[in-house]
Amino acid sequence: MTTELESTRRALRDAIAEAERAAELARLLDAAQAKLAEAERATEELRSMNERLAEAESELETERTAAERLRKELAEQRYQAEVAQWKLSSLKVARWNRIGDAIKTGKSNPVRLAKGLKGAAKPVKRPVAPKRKPIAGTAQKDDRPGAAFQATSTTRTVEGRSVRLKPFRIPTGPNTRPHLTAAVIADPHAEALLRYEWRQTTGFTPRDFARVLAAEVPHLLVVESVTQGPWAEEITGEPGEGVRELLAWCAARGIRTVFWHTGGTVADYAATAELFEYRFTTDLTAGWPRLPFAVQPRVHNPLPLSGGRYDRVLTLEQLLPAHLGYPDVLTSYRWPVAVDCPPGTPHWRLAELAACGTSIGPEADSRRAHAALRRAYAAGTMTERVDELLEAIGLPSARATLNISVILPVPDSSRLEHALAQVVKQSGVTQVIVFGHPSIEERAREVLAPREVVFREQDPSVSTGAMLNRGLDLCEADLVAIMDPRDVYGSHYLADLRRAFLFSTADIVGKASYYAHLRGAHATLLKQPESEYTYTPEVNGATLLARRNALRAIGFADLTEGWDEVLMRQCRTDGIKVFSADRFGYVRVRDEDRWLLGAAHLVEYGSAEPHALI
């Protein structure tokens, strides 16, 4: 009887414990769902705000265009009224008109007639003809790169159907080398590639270059083999007097001159090119130093259009009708889910499409698109091309770098080899701050060489946030990454994240969308796939890559659990932009994670690496 009673008591205790665990699980699930709902509301609110902002900007641009048209019409009407008044005044002082007036007023008085005819015979100064005046704008000129370089075409026609889309807003400033000024004569495509690389002066003509360039004397002159505009005839065939005077003006001031052949027959520009100090070409057969086109991260990037992609695969002809200006081409690049390009499509066109995250081929494939984007950037950016140009002509190419310091806590020494392997395969890492037991220091230095390694013993009594603050004080690179020794990082992980700093305005980049693997359930999950390439309220702390100075200004909360949530909350309070990059290159690995189970989509039961790592 006593045994049965004890067994009953034990069963009751187990049942109560199980009920408590179930209640705790339900509470955690409710909390996770509430967090997820809050995050989804915040994301939706941000998306809605972005859409409203885009609509407001579009309406503002329409109003500006209409106002500009009205100003032009009003100015023309005023001019025509002045012309009419001038014609009337000219008519009144004409000799034949004055003689007629004298005859009319003196026909009954010979003396008055004689005086009138004598006066009419005298020459009278005619009024000066009016001239068209410049149309006054409503605002001062915006000299930031891209300020006057915006898309205007908002509709496309596909198989007879008109489709409306919201234009991609061309970013304005900053530029990569604000200390350097370049005078540039280029077609819109080349101008778009160069405009963010330095302070750029354009729009001057053979008649006014001396006045325009004198306002800010450039360090170099770059002339492309243009096919349109006031300089086209000057540089084709026999050099014109205008280009000769421009080069003489530059020579007198020690301004370096560069001719960049990008199209057309080399022979058509050879005579003019010989007058320049330096010559470059995109043509492999030209015999000059090569400077090919490359992607410009500020405009060739996977930032999406407001409203998402058009769920169709288009031909290149459908995508790029002949009438589009280059700003509208940049809108088209990121519009469809995929583009089927014919054989012979220029390599630079394929690279620009790929850099915008658009699948190239007969079907959409996000993994192939990401790999193609990575290859387009790896082939070189316009920033790197300009580095080459400046080095060749002897001008300094000083610019900010994106080197990385990694903070790597290793509280469990059994995870050391895995953790070090995740860091070693990353590019761009110049320094690693390792926290752990003293016994791992020698191995860490051995594996991570030749990178600088700063080792600190991890104090179990110090919170994770306090430890990260200590590590942050030791960081010297421009960017700071935090990596978790439990997780899996692909070999392109940091390179992919670092790329976002080339085209976003965020101070913190990470992943709100990522794959996760739960060992207990052997399940692969995908969290928030809709958060790729968006400004977002928060990112996973184990994927954090931030500008060092911005991170120092915020600091980490003195917490072990939830330090990243507090950091993200502080970013929202302080107005610091957080950007979520792609979903690839990282796997969050846990034995179990109840919050993830309620906040992510099940992909399959199996390994996450085939899905996440490219």
Side-chain angles (χ1 to χ4, degrees):
M1 186 68 177
T2 303
T3 303
E4 291 179 358
L5 182 59
E6 184 60 31
S7 176
T8 302
R9 286 174 177 168
R10 192 161 48 246
L12 283 171
R13 282 197 300 270
D14 291 345
I16 291 170
E18 187 64 31
E20 288 175 349
R21 283 196 296 272
E24 177 64 13
L25 179 60
R27 186 186 67 78
L28 289 172
L29 182 60
D30 288 344
Q33 289 175 338
K35 271 190 178 179
L36 178 62
E38 181 184 354
E40 288 176 346
R41 281 196 301 272
T43 302
E44 184 60 34
E45 182 180 349
L46 182 62
R47 185 180 295 110
S48 176
M49 289 176 65
N50 285 336
E51 289 179 356
R52 290 200 299 271
L53 177 61
E55 290 175 359
E57 288 178 340
S58 178
E59 291 174 1
L60 179 60
E61 190 61 34
T62 301
E63 292 295 330
R64 284 175 176 166
T65 302
E68 183 67 20
R69 187 180 66 252
L70 288 173
R71 281 198 301 274
K72 288 180 179 179
E73 291 176 355
L74 179 59
E76 182 63 21
Q77 289 174 5
R78 285 175 176 167
Y79 172 70
Q80 294 299 338
E82 290 174 358
V83 169
Q85 183 64 37
W86 169 73
K87 288 181 178 178
L88 180 60
S89 301
S90 299
L91 183 65
K92 288 181 177 178
V93 299
R95 179 175 296 179
W96 61 267
N97 188 65
R98 288 183 286 123
I99 291 174
D101 288 343
I103 293 173
K104 182 179 178 181
T105 56
K107 60 183 179 180
S108 58
N109 188 329
V111 175
R112 183 182 295 173
L113 176 61
K115 287 183 179 180
L117 291 174
K118 184 178 180 181
K122 293 179 181 179
V124 176
K125 185 178 180 181
R126 288 178 173 268
V128 179
K131 295 181 179 180
R132 280 192 170 88
K133 298 175 183 177
I135 300 171
T138 57
Q140 292 183 342
K141 181 182 176 183
D142 192 340
D143 290 326
R144 294 175 300 167
F149 187 75
Q150 297 296 337
T152 57
S153 180
T154 58
T155 59
R156 303 290 186 274
T157 302
V158 180
E159 296 176 352
R161 179 189 169 204
S162 181
V163 182
R164 183 175 177 82
L165 63 155
K166 294 178 180 177
F168 173 67
R169 298 295 298 172
I170 312 299
T172 56
N175 58 50
T176 305
R177 304 170 187 84
H179 64 283
L180 197 63
T181 301
V184 175
I185 298 170
D187 285 337
H189 180 204
E191 188 182 329
L193 299 181
L194 296 171
R195 65 173 60 240
Y196 300 98
E197 298 304 325
W198 41 41
R199 292 173 57 83
Q200 185 156 294
T201 302
T202 59
F204 52 92
T205 70
R207 293 183 176 182
D208 65 7
F209 72 83
R211 176 180 58 81
V212 174
L213 299 184
E216 184 176 5
V217 178
H219 298 90
L220 75 159
L221 168 73
V222 178
V223 177
E224 186 203 8
S225 51
V226 293
T227 59
Q228 56 187 341
W231 292 97
E233 291 185 2
E234 290 281 336
I235 65 174
T236 307
E238 185 63 24
E241 193 60 32
V243 74
R244 291 180 184 275
E245 291 177 358
L246 172 61
L247 292 173
W249 188 89
C250 290
R253 290 159 180 79
I255 298 168
R256 291 168 172 81
T257 58
V258 175
F259 187 84
W260 188 23
H261 170 252
T262 59
T265 306
V266 174
D268 292 342
Y269 302 98
T272 298
E274 285 298 322
L275 303 177
F276 286 73
E277 294 177 276
Y278 303 93
R279 290 165 292 282
F280 297 91
T281 181
T282 60
D283 188 347
L284 286 170
T285 64
W288 298 342
R290 191 157 183 256
L291 184 70
F293 288 134
V295 296
Q296 170 53 260
R298 300 302 307 283
V299 294
H300 304 133
N301 57 60
L303 290 174
L305 293 182
S306 179
R309 289 186 179 268
Y310 184 49
D311 193 17
R312 288 279 300 277
V313 178
L314 302 180
T315 66
L316 196 60
E317 186 179 1
Q318 289 173 320
L319 182 75
L320 301 174
H323 69 277
L324 291 183
Y326 196 69
D328 296 299
V329 168
L330 296 172
T331 296
S332 289
Y333 278 165
R334 63 200 77 226
W335 175 42
V337 293
V339 180
D340 196 3
C341 298
T345 301
H347 175 76
W348 64 263
R349 178 77 76 189
L350 296 174
E352 290 183 359
L353 269 169
C356 291
T358 301
S359 292
I360 298 174
E363 61 182 4
D365 186 322
S366 59
R367 287 175 57 83
R368 281 195 311 159
H370 184 72
L373 182 152
R374 187 184 287 156
R375 287 194 300 271
Y377 273 84
T381 65
M382 209 60 213
T383 299
E384 293 163 333
R385 296 283 187 269
V386 171
D387 283 344
E388 297 168 11
L389 183 152
L390 294 175
E391 183 177 356
I393 69 175
L395 283 177
S397 180
R399 60 182 176 88
T401 66
L402 292 177
N403 293 332
I404 301 171
S405 291
V406 173
I407 301 178
L408 182 68
V410 189
D412 184 351
S413 299
S414 66
R415 298 186 187 274
L416 176 66
E417 295 301 326
H418 172 79
L420 295 179
Q422 307 312 301
V423 178
V424 164
K425 56 190 175 184
Q426 306 300 324
S427 62
V429 176
T430 58
Q431 182 190 39
V432 185
I433 316 297
V434 181
F435 287 91
H437 190 273
S439 61
I440 72 171
E441 179 178 359
E442 184 177 351
R443 179 59 178 167
R445 293 188 184 279
E446 177 188 348
V447 174
L448 295 173
R451 301 166 187 82
E452 178 192 354
V453 176
V454 178
F455 184 86
R456 293 292 184 271
E457 184 176 353
Q458 187 163 357
D459 185 349
S461 65
V462 173
S463 69
T464 301
M467 177 191 63
L468 293 176
N469 277 327
R470 288 180 59 194
L472 185 58
D473 288 339
L474 299 169
C475 291
E476 297 178 352
D478 296 328
L479 303 178
V480 174
I482 297 174
M483 297 177 67
D484 193 311
R486 297 170 292 181
D487 296 337
V488 175
Y489 297 86
S491 57
H492 298 281
Y493 163 74
L494 283 178
D496 285 348
L497 274 189
R498 182 171 59 171
R499 188 183 308 123
F501 287 102
L502 300 177
F503 56 79
S504 76
T505 55
D507 285 318
I508 294 179
V509 172
K511 294 181 185 290
S513 176
Y514 56 86
Y515 288 93
H517 182 72
L518 303 183
R519 290 196 188 97
H522 199 52
T524 289
L525 309 170
L526 175 59
K527 187 174 185 294
Q528 292 182 227
E530 71 283 354
S531 294
E532 287 187 288
Y533 298 119
T534 60
Y535 292 94
T536 184
E538 58 185 27
V539 293
N540 180 1
T543 68
L544 194 73
L545 182 65
R547 297 190 188 277
R548 183 188 58 181
N549 291 339
L551 202 54
R552 278 182 170 170
I554 310 169
F556 297 96
D558 189 7
L559 297 169
T560 294
E561 298 293 333
W563 61 267
D564 52 346
E565 295 179 16
V566 175
L567 179 69
M568 294 295 105
R569 194 179 308 129
Q570 191 63 47
C571 288
R572 294 194 291 273
T573 300
D574 294 351
I576 294 174
K577 288 186 177 180
V578 178
F579 185 79
S580 173
D582 59 90
R583 68 179 183 270
F584 300 108
Y586 166 77
V587 181
R588 179 182 174 93
V589 181
R590 300 291 183 270
D591 290 329
E592 61 180 22
D593 192 320
R594 295 169 179 170
W595 181 77
L596 263 178
L597 281 172
H601 307 286
L602 177 66
V603 176
E604 69 167 6
Y605 289 98
S607 175
E609 294 186 18
H611 299 278
L613 305 186
I614 301 175

